[in-house]
Amino acid sequence: MKTNDLDILKQQFFDYAATFIDPDTDGGPHVLKRDHTLRVCREIIGIGEALGLSEPDLLLAQVIALLHDIGRFEQFKRYNTFLDAASANHAALGVEVIKAQHLLDPLPPEEQRLIIDAVRFHNAADLPGDRDQRTLFFMGLIRDADKLDIWQVVIDHYLNHGKDTDKFIELGFEDRGGYTPEAFQALFQRQFVRSAAVKQLNDFKLMQISWVFDLNFTPTIARVKSRQYIEKIASTMPQCPDLTTALGHVFDHMDTHTHDTYTPC
């Protein structure tokens, strides 16, 4: 991977995103996803540098970040939603777009395969068990970087929009003022809250909190702690004993687990 490869892909990404954005409007959801992508690129650089990645691997990580959500543009155009369950798997759509646009054709086959795998599984509930350590490393890297920016986006919305809702950020979940027991149960078990347990907005917030259990690298956890992401989400939720118990599991997990299992060898 060379700097020129990344520069070319960046221009191709901007050109592709621009085809979905009406210059006479604010661009709405498509601009949201374009800007999210650029921030994820910055997050992945920060994590990668903290892990001591080589310059070629940092470039590879940025390409993965650049392309991880490219399926979102076509998803919203077709279905008018970012909710995969009500439309299509945006990661799978992204792989289709990458191949249809021939974005990776100039790269070596092994890099193409790794990038495609990282995009395909960046939103999966579980990582595949049949990939090599290097591929798993970059899968974990994009999943961590993606979460860091999504946390910031949703927190800005929860804290600054008051009673105003944004169906593109809240994915249409209603604020019923309560919780679904299954969502809490996953947190008590220190597990990721699965989408099937999310029935209302507070469940969605519990899912976002539970992403802590799916993080892969110590520098990511350090950023979550220093930015107080979990505390900020929790401050927007109805307080109850179950929430206090769940947060205890989350904070203990962050304090006692290190996650630098994979190496980009």
Side-chain angles (χ1 to χ4, degrees):
M1 178 67 63
K2 299 177 181 178
T3 302
N4 188 55
D5 296 322
L6 176 61
D7 291 340
I8 291 171
L9 281 166
K10 280 183 178 179
Q11 189 58 56
Q12 290 175 311
F13 170 80
F14 279 115
D15 291 345
Y16 179 77
T19 66
F20 295 86
I21 298 171
D22 184 347
D24 295 327
T25 69
D26 63 3
H30 291 123
V31 169
L32 180 74
K33 289 305 175 183
R34 182 198 64 192
D35 294 350
H36 161 70
T37 295
L38 300 180
R39 292 191 301 270
V40 173
C41 288
R42 291 195 290 271
E43 294 287 6
I44 211 166
I45 292 171
I47 301 170
E49 289 178 341
L51 292 171
L53 264 64
S54 66
E55 186 62 28
D57 280 346
L58 280 173
L59 293 171
L60 180 58
Q62 289 176 75
V63 169
I64 294 168
L66 187 70
L67 300 179
H68 83 284
D69 257 2
I70 200 166
R72 288 295 198 186
F73 299 98
E74 185 64 29
Q75 179 188 38
F76 195 85
K77 178 182 177 181
R78 292 185 194 178
Y79 304 103
N80 199 43
T81 183
F82 289 130
L83 182 60
D84 284 12
S87 56
N89 184 330
H90 73 276
L93 278 177
V95 171
E96 291 179 15
V97 170
I98 290 168
K99 292 180 177 180
Q101 298 289 321
H102 303 284
L103 297 177
L104 302 181
D105 286 4
L107 301 182
E110 63 273 14
E111 288 187 349
Q112 292 187 38
R113 286 192 293 269
L114 190 154
I115 294 165
I116 289 292
D117 261 353
V119 171
R120 189 189 307 277
F121 290 100
H122 84 271
N123 67 331
D126 301 292
L127 292 179
D130 59 351
R131 299 305 197 273
D132 60 81
Q133 289 294 93
R134 179 171 172 81
T135 301
L136 289 170
F137 174 89
F138 283 98
M139 286 181 181
L141 202 59
I142 184 56
R143 289 163 71 92
D144 279 21
D146 194 26
K147 289 179 178 66
L148 285 177
D149 187 63
I150 296 173
W151 266 316
Q152 188 60 62
V153 169
V154 299
I155 287 167
D156 286 346
H157 171 71
Y158 296 149
L159 293 179
N160 299 322
H161 287 244
K163 294 296 182 180
D164 294 333
T165 61
D166 186 329
K167 65 179 181 179
F168 306 128
I169 293 177
E170 298 181 359
L171 299 185
F173 289 112
E174 297 179 7
D175 186 1
R176 303 176 191 167
Y179 301 94
T180 301
E182 290 81 1
F184 270 129
Q185 202 57 44
L187 281 164
F188 296 160
Q189 296 170 0
R190 301 193 179 196
Q191 296 176 353
F192 181 83
V193 176
R194 303 289 173 143
S195 58
V198 178
K199 309 297 184 184
Q200 54 186 307
L201 183 59
N202 287 322
D203 301 338
F204 189 44
K205 293 179 180 181
L206 289 177
M207 172 188 275
Q208 291 159 354
I209 288 173
S210 79
W211 290 346
V212 163
F213 302 123
D214 192 49
L215 294 177
N216 297 280
F217 302 107
T218 303
T220 315
I221 292 178
R223 285 159 172 75
V224 174
K225 293 170 73 172
S226 66
R227 299 173 188 178
Q228 297 186 308
Y229 281 162
I230 304 308
E231 294 91 333
K232 289 175 181 176
I233 295 175
S235 73
T236 72
M237 303 165 69
Q239 303 301 298
C240 66
D242 279 347
L243 179 61
T244 301
T245 302
L247 294 176
H249 288 298
V250 171
F251 294 134
D252 181 67
H253 181 83
M254 288 195 292
D255 287 340
T256 59
H257 283 69
T258 57
H259 295 71
D260 302 341
T261 304
Y262 307 131
T263 56
C265 55

